[in-house]
Structures are given as structure tokens and as C-alpha cells.
Amino acid sequence: MMRNSLVYYLHTSVMNDLISTMFNKKFLEELFKPQELYSKKALRTVYDRLAHASIMRLNPASMDKLFDLMTMAFKYQVLLCPRPKDILLITFNHLDAIKNFVRDSPDIMNQVDETFRHIIEVYGCLPAGEFQLIRQTLLLFFQDMHIRVSIFLKDKVQNSNGRFVLPISGPVPWGTKVPGLIRMFNNKGEEVKRMEFKHGGQYVRAESEGSFELSGDRVLTLGTNMYSASRPVETRVSGALKNSSLNTKDNIAARTLAKEELNFLARLMGGMEIKKTSGPEPGFRLNLFTTDEEEEHAALTRPEELSYQVINIQAAQDQQRNEELTRIMGEFEIHDQPQQSTSKGDDLLAMMDEL
Amino acid sequence: MTFLLSTESSLGSHFGTSRTSAPDRSMYRRERPVPMRSCPAALYNNLSVLPLPAPGLTQFALVHGPTAQLLSAAPDGLPVSQRQLHTKDGAGPGFPLITQAYWCVLPFRVLLVLTSQRGIQIYESDGSVMVYWHALDSTDASPVQALFARGIAASGHYICVGTWSGRVLVFDVPAKGPNIVLSEELDVHQAPITDIAAEPAQGQDCVADVVTADDSGLLCVWKSGPEFKLLTRISGFGTPCPSVQLWQGSVAAGYGDGQIRIYEASSGALHVQINAHARGICALDLAPEAGKLLSGAEDSFVHIWKLSRNPHSGCIEVEHCHAECVTDTQVCGARFCDLRGSSFAVTGYDLAEILRYSCV
């Protein structure tokens, strides 16, 4: 029973730390500024930083795998998004799930709710054309990524070539009519002929539109927890790279970060509060592979094209930039302790060490 | 994988004058695809086709993101030549993206036009030499605006290009040489331009010969010339119109809600409404000699329609000819490869090849 409550505590502690870091006001302020699409390298760096916002640790191989999983899952959601505006519903599904994780911490709940309101304010009234532009831009990020994910392969949501299955049945998006009808009119606007045609799919009408309010039935399942039942987390990167997607110029471009992007990253990370522990870290390490050896092997055999080369900001070459970044990093010191039973946790873990 | 349909007259007569469409008279079979090194970007109208003088050789152009690729292939699918074009690095952060590549066939020359987040690049048709560069004007833009050019068409010796603000730029192109001149700026649209089309039958006495479309679904019909004249406006009521075609005085428009609507160009009267696709349409093309219309959408389907004018009413009518399911692919480009529409090519997001089909 002691072990169970410890697991529960660790789980809650990690969740609370991650979520409160992600929804930190300063961090979000930066995120909401209009900006260009991140490169994979930049996003991976932010992700890395975020994942270390709690006592949980991951080795590079597990981190890569987690990032792959997240990327492919999000690609799936954006790709299958029925109409461009539904990208907002997917985001709301994400936020609903996050709120559920922190339902026992009212302060963090508040942070998430604030973000929710901000999203509704900024995006709620965007026209369809703009949503499609956002979606098309996001799809640029996922282009040429075909990592196979076990759970998707098992559920027949992804093919063995890494492409997603696009169903040609089910409800049409809200606002779209079921294909199959041709109506013809005369110059007075009167219908004069009506014809049906066989379009090839098995579509039905959409029953209802999802809710765009702070809470409500989103109707859309894209963006809900795909791991709600216990599922395997394997991903396969080999074999997906036979036709190497990037030519030399693109590769070089992908490897260097534009100066603007580096500066932007620095500001973004300046908004993140990272837990700093003095002395030996009491945290625990999450391994997404079956054994430590497997994890090590994965790190060594990861294909070149999928190497994200996470930047160590502190190792940046430019002296002036380095100073600026060091200053920002210094702002990572936590000013107010979160209202958690952190000390209790430390005591608990210290107790474990003594056993 | 080809998908041959059988027709069933199961619909009965409860619609009164309805009937199911005629049996699939145009049967298309899949030909050897043209392989590519990477997948196309999820853009509208992401394929342009230019048949070449050499028999059987076809040239394709499509956009990957910051680069555009030109490929020429023989009927057996084997690529004969390949060239990559990049965005001209103008001012601004990041890696500028190309939004569209399109061959403009003018009376005395063929030019390749690329639109991007920086401006408009015009090349000789094989992409070997850039003959003209026009940078986008950012003075009216707020700092949060995404700038880009998109929508390309040729009408007579004019090339029309659309922009993010809704402005359409009209360039006057000489018979040869680089002295391309910005002749006019059309400021009617208020939303980003999506597509522009010109009447293919140039010899005929057409009043309406250019149509422009935007993200709000608005269509504007024009008479081209030294001063373009706006003839008609057709509202889309907020649904984007990604793709548009013009044929013998009829405007065919594909919408983000999967519908195709056909209007009389001079009056704006709606003649045909087709519930054509289950997702947004991304591409429309026309085979002018046969009056065939090709539509491709994110629902993974490509449909071919036959347009005709009813001799009594003078109204446009449509018949469905063929449906093709491009399995697990969101179509982003579709073009006929010849004027009669006996062959067509398709591109899709996540698809690293250009699919080709031809009539049996």
C-alpha cells in the first residue's frame, strides 16, 4: 500500500510539475506571439526542456522515442481533422484531458482555464481560410515523417509504410453535405434536374457540431487520450528512410538554427521555470524501452536523418549570445515554491534511500 | 489502385426527375507513377503539367515547401530530367516557402511562375533561367500578417498573380525577353487569393475571360485587357474557394466544404450544385476540348465530370464520368495531361510519387 501511494504521489507530482511549467504565464505569453513555424530541432529542444520540468528523467533514446510518438500522434490528429476549424476542437480535447490530470490542484487548473479562455479569444473567430492556412503550415512540419507507431499499426490506423489510413466512411465534417447529389438550375434559379452519382465512399450526415465553449461535448475524438487502455509504446524508425527526403541544402538548413530562431527559443525558455535540485537528484528515470540495453542500442542506431541534435543552449558559440542566454537561464531560479507537498516527497524518497 | 464503379438504379424515382448517372463511359487505368524524392506540401493546386513537344514526354511541377521540383517523365514513368528551384531569399526570417508553381502558356512563349512568401519568380519554361522577380509589398501588412503570393493564370499576354491581401497583380509580358511590366493592381478581394483561372478558348469572342477566387469564397469575373474590367461578383458566404476554372462562359468553383458549383460567368447565376466530395476540394482542372472537369479533394477521391450546354435552355449541365479513390491519400494536386482529358495526373500529401491515369 505504501508503494501504491508512492507511485500515486510521484505520478501526481510529475503531472503537476509538467503542467504548471507548460502553462506558466510567461511561457505562454511567448507562445501566443505570432511567429513562424518551429523547426524540428527547435521544438525538440523546447520539448526536452519541458520534460525535465519534473523529477522525471529520460535518456536521449527514450526522449527521442517520446518525441516521435508525440509527433506522429499529433500528425495523425492534424491530418484527419475533418474541417480546418476542428483543429480548435482537437486542442480543446487536449486541454480537457490536461484539466482532468490536475483536477485536485485548483491553482494549476486556473492556469489551464486562463489559457483556454485566451485560445477562445484569439482563435474563436478566425475564418475557415485562416484555419486551413494554419493546418497546411502544421502539415509542413510533419511532411516526410513516416515513423511507424505500434499502437497505430495494431489499431489499423497506420499502414506498414508509415502512412495513415484515411477512412472513406463515417460522418462528413460539420457543414459538408454527403456526396452523391447533382442539382441543376435554370436562369430563374428553379431546380430543373436532379441526379445521383456513385461517389465511392460510405458517408453519412454529421449529427452535431462540437462545442467551442470552455466545457462541452467536443464530439470529435481526435485529440483524446489514445492510451486510455494500457497500450504498447513501440515505434519503428528503420525502413522509413529508404528514399531520403532531404537533399544536401535542406539538410544543412535543418541543422543550423537561424539566429532569429535561437533568440526566440531563448526567450521562450526564459519563461519556463525548471526545478533545480541541489545535491543528488532524487528523481526517477523513465525508460520507454524494455531494457536499459535496448535503450542504449536505440541511441546508437538512430538514423542520421532523424537525429534531432538537441542544442545545448549554454554551449552556443557566439559569446554575446551566450551571455544573454546565461542571463536568461539564471532567471530559471524558482522564486516561489509551488504549493505542493514537495518537502513531503523529498522526505519520502529520502526514506526510500535509507531502506 | 483503380476503382471501377458499377451503377445501380436503386435510387428509384422519388426525386421525380432524378436518375443515377450514366455508366462509367470513361474508364481510366493506372499507369506507371513518377517517383519523387520527397512528398509534396499540403497546398492548394499543387501540381502543374506541361506536355512537351517530344512525343509522350510530360513535364510536372510541384511544391515541397521551400523548394519546387520540375520533373519530366516518359510514358513508362521513368524520369528523364529533374530540377529543383528555390525561393529567392528576400528579406525576412526563416526559410521562405513556395506556395504554388504553374506554367503560363502565352501566345508566343511559355513561362514558369513560382509564388512564395517573398514574391513572384518567373522563369523560362524549363526553369533554367529566372527572367523576372517581383517582391511582395509589405507596407500594408501588420506585423502579425503572413505574407504570400498565391493564384496564377495567363490570359492573352497577361499573367495574373494573387496575393495575401486579396490584391491581384497583372503583369504584361512581351513576346520575348525579360521586360515584364506590372500593368495593373486589382483591389476588389478582401481575403487572400486562392486561385485564378482564364478562359482557355482564347480565339473566341469571350467577354468574361478571367476569374479570381479567395479564402472567403468570393469569385470575381473579369474582362482582361490594358484595364481589367470587373463583370460579376459571386459570394461564397465564408466557405473558401481553393480552386476555380473557366470554360465557355461558365465558372466552375470547388469549395472547402466539398461542393462544386457552376455559375454563368456573365450573370453569376447558379446553374449546377454538386455535393462532390466529403472533404475540402484542393484542385480543379479542365480539359477544354472535351468539356471535362477534374476535381481532387482531401477525402482521397478524384472525380471527372462532363460539362455541356443544354441547347434549349442554354444552361450548363453536368454528368459524372468517373471516380477514382487514391487510397489513404489527401489529394493536393490534379491535372489533365492533354486537352481532351484522356489522361490525368495526381499528387497527394504523404505520397512520394506522381500518379498517372489514362483512358483505356
Side-chain angles (χ1 to χ4, degrees):
Chain A
M1 190 169 130
M2 164 94 161
R3 196 179 296 142
N4 284 343
S5 55
L6 178 66
V7 166
Y8 174 76
Y9 164 73
L10 286 174
H11 172 265
T12 319
S13 158
V14 168
M15 277 301 192
N16 287 353
D17 286 343
L18 283 174
I19 293 168
S20 65
T21 305
M22 264 197 269
F23 288 84
N24 173 279
K25 202 171 160 137
K26 230 174 126 194
F27 180 66
L28 287 171
E29 249 169 46
E30 286 298 327
L31 271 188
F32 270 94
K33 286 183 186 165
Q35 55 203 270
E36 299 285 334
L37 183 72
Y38 299 174
S39 65
K40 289 194 180 67
K41 197 182 175 62
L43 186 66
R44 177 74 171 78
T45 306
V46 174
Y47 197 72
D48 205 55
R49 199 81 202 171
L50 216 50
H52 286 85
S54 72
I55 56 173
M56 182 180 68
R57 291 289 172 270
L58 288 103
N59 281 347
S62 281
M63 187 52 119
D64 282 341
K65 186 189 241 198
L66 195 60
F67 188 73
D68 288 345
L69 267 173
M70 185 277 293
T71 318
M72 290 308 288
F74 191 42
K75 176 177 180 175
Y76 176 69
Q77 291 162 18
V78 175
L79 190 64
L80 263 77
C81 189
R83 54 169 187 166
K85 188 176 184 183
D86 290 343
I87 227 157
L88 216 45
L89 287 176
I90 291 170
T91 306
F92 292 163
N93 273 333
H94 294 164
L95 291 176
D96 288 340
I98 290 169
K99 275 166 72 169
N100 194 39
F101 289 140
V102 292
R103 62 184 176 275
D104 295 330
S105 315
D107 286 340
I108 309 177
M109 269 279 268
N110 255 346
Q111 283 176 270
V112 182
D113 268 338
E114 268 310 300
T115 311
F116 223 122
R117 284 189 206 100
H118 199 179
I119 290 177
I120 294 173
E121 192 189 304
V122 173
Y123 295 98
C125 297
L126 275 193
E130 286 227 38
F131 274 120
Q132 179 65 327
L133 198 59
I134 291 172
R135 182 172 169 270
Q136 288 176 332
T137 310
L138 286 173
L139 286 174
L140 268 169
F141 184 90
F142 302 119
Q143 216 168 296
D144 299 306
M145 289 189 73
H146 304 119
I147 297 165
R148 286 162 293 169
V149 176
S150 258
I151 183 178
F152 286 148
L153 293 168
K154 278 197 172 64
D155 288 351
K156 304 243 185 295
V157 138
Q158 189 180 27
N159 294 316
S160 55
N161 65 359
R163 270 68 174 174
F164 289 115
V165 172
L166 301 185
I168 55 172
S169 60
V172 287
W174 188 256
T176 292
K177 303 228 170 50
V178 175
L181 183 63
I182 306 174
R183 296 171 70 196
M184 288 171 266
F185 307 87
N186 63 17
N187 281 319
K188 287 183 253 170
E190 298 159 336
E191 185 181 309
V192 294
K193 210 187 219 177
R194 194 177 258 241
M195 276 169 70
E196 303 259 335
F197 72 93
K198 239 350 193 11
H199 59 84
Q202 303 276 322
Y203 297 102
V204 295
R205 277 178 54 229
E207 280 189 12
S208 54
E209 188 182 19
S211 161
F212 288 85
E213 306 291 318
L214 203 62
S215 61
D217 182 6
R218 310 296 176 198
V219 178
L220 200 62
T221 54
L222 288 173
T224 54
N225 189 359
M226 61 196 230
Y227 287 103
S228 43
S230 176
R231 305 295 216 124
V233 292
E234 295 113 64
T235 54
R236 249 170 293 161
V237 299
S238 63
L241 310 149
K242 263 215 165 139
N243 305 311
S244 174
S245 49
L246 305 165
N247 71 1
T248 325
K249 181 165 177 179
D250 288 343
N251 244 329
I252 292 167
R255 271 168 203 185
T256 52
L257 269 192
K259 184 177 181 207
E260 297 83 12
E261 203 171 22
L262 198 61
N263 287 339
F264 174 77
L265 256 185
R267 283 197 310 275
L268 193 68
M269 314 245 270
M272 275 197 256
E273 288 180 8
I274 302 301
K275 258 195 159 56
K276 273 201 170 174
T277 50
S278 51
E281 299 196 334
F284 69 93
R285 190 169 65 81
L286 178 66
N287 180 354
L288 287 178
F289 296 84
T290 347
T291 62
D292 284 352
E293 288 74 33
E294 224 188 272
E295 189 186 45
E296 233 178 84
H297 180 75
L300 295 168
T301 56
R302 189 169 179 89
E304 186 64 22
E305 293 91 296
L306 288 181
S307 155
Y308 294 114
Q309 295 176 350
V310 174
I311 336 146
N312 180 348
I313 295 270
Q314 287 168 313
Q317 297 301 308
D318 188 84
Q319 178 63 17
Q320 192 183 29
R321 205 158 55 186
N322 206 7
E323 280 166 16
E324 189 197 324
L325 290 169
T326 315
R327 180 184 58 76
I328 291 172
M329 302 286 269
E331 285 169 348
F332 282 176
E333 301 291 348
I334 298 178
H335 301 293
D336 9 287
Q337 286 295 335
Q339 292 300 325
Q340 312 273 5
S341 40
T342 329
S343 49
K344 182 174 162 198
D346 285 348
D347 288 344
L348 214 56
L349 288 159
M351 268 172 68
M352 293 281 287
D353 283 351
E354 283 159 17
L355 287 172
Chain B
M1 171 192 357
T2 20
F3 191 109
L4 295 177
L5 301 176
S6 59
T7 42
E8 289 145 38
S9 342
S10 55
L11 277 306
S13 55
H14 58 279
F15 277 134
T17 50
S18 83
R19 61 181 171 89
T20 52
S21 59
D24 196 344
R25 295 170 302 194
S26 349
M27 291 186 8
Y28 290 84
R29 109 185 131 226
R30 186 104 160 235
E31 304 285 5
R32 291 275 299 269
V34 181
M36 296 188 287
R37 283 185 305 171
S38 53
C39 302
L43 297 164
Y44 298 140
N45 308 305
N46 194 1
L47 178 66
S48 186
V49 170
L50 185 70
L52 291 170
L57 216 54
T58 314
Q59 207 164 10
F60 303 93
L62 56 120
V63 179
H64 292 286
T67 60
Q69 197 176 10
L70 305 188
L71 303 131
S72 52
D76 59 6
L78 291 176
V80 166
S81 71
Q82 203 265 136
R83 173 174 264 136
Q84 273 209 330
L85 298 173
H86 297 85
T87 335
K88 187 169 151 63
D89 285 324
F95 305 108
L97 301 165
I98 299 177
T99 53
Q100 195 176 359
Y102 185 73
W103 271 292
C104 288
V105 178
L106 301 147
F108 297 106
R109 66 199 297 194
V110 176
L111 293 172
L112 174 69
V113 180
L114 294 189
T115 49
S116 74
Q117 290 180 322
R118 294 284 179 272
I120 302 156
Q121 292 155 246
I122 304 183
Y123 296 82
E124 294 296 355
S125 69
D126 63 356
S128 57
V129 179
M130 192 187 321
V131 298
Y132 183 73
W133 155 251
H134 177 94
L136 279 177
D137 179 11
S138 56
T139 48
D140 292 335
S142 71
V144 307
Q145 209 108 36
L147 265 62
F148 56 87
R150 182 176 62 183
I152 309 164
S155 178
H157 57 93
Y158 296 104
I159 288 180
C160 304
V161 181
T163 66
W164 56 274
S165 64
R167 174 174 292 168
V168 176
L169 304 172
V170 182
F171 297 93
D172 194 337
V173 182
K176 58 180 178 197
N179 291 335
I180 296 173
V181 169
L182 177 62
S183 140
E184 210 182 345
E185 294 183 5
L186 309 174
D187 280 314
V188 177
H189 290 272
Q190 306 273 302
I193 301 293
T194 45
D195 195 20
I196 306 179
E199 177 70 61
Q202 290 300 321
Q204 294 185 7
D205 223 349
C206 295
V207 179
D209 56 6
V210 171
V211 60
T212 51
D214 73 22
D215 258 343
S216 74
L218 175 67
L219 300 169
C220 288
V221 182
W222 309 83
K223 164 107 188 84
S224 67
E227 258 182 47
F228 271 52
K229 183 162 177 270
L230 178 65
L231 301 174
T232 334
R233 294 169 66 128
I234 304 166
S235 177
F237 306 106
T239 308
C241 176
S243 213
V244 74
Q245 291 290 327
L246 196 51
W247 183 71
Q248 296 190 359
S250 278
V251 175
Y255 293 87
D257 62 2
Q259 258 196 5
I260 295 174
R261 298 203 277 274
I262 305 183
Y263 307 88
E264 180 69 51
S266 51
S267 65
L270 176 69
H271 280 171
V272 186
Q273 185 172 293
I274 313 173
N275 297 340
H277 290 274
R279 294 283 189 279
I281 290 173
C282 289
L284 279 188
D285 198 32
L286 202 64
E289 283 177 18
K292 278 189 184 168
L293 183 71
L294 177 69
S295 65
E298 287 179 350
D299 63 355
S300 71
F301 279 90
V302 167
H303 289 290
I304 298 182
W305 318 85
K306 176 88 175 64
L307 274 59
S308 56
R309 255 200 206 273
N310 184 305
H312 308 293
S313 66
C315 296
I316 283 285
E317 294 184 346
V318 167
E319 256 190 289
H320 180 252
C321 286
H322 181 74
E324 195 66 48
C325 180
V326 188
T327 314
D328 298 336
T329 304
Q330 292 194 353
V331 175
C332 56
R335 294 280 180 196
F336 281 118
C337 297
D338 62 272
L339 298 171
R340 285 214 52 79
S342 57
S343 58
F344 64 93
V346 173
T347 55
Y349 180 75
D350 266 355
L351 192 63
E353 49 193 15
I354 301 173
L355 300 178
R356 298 197 297 179
Y357 303 81
S358 59
C359 258
V360 292

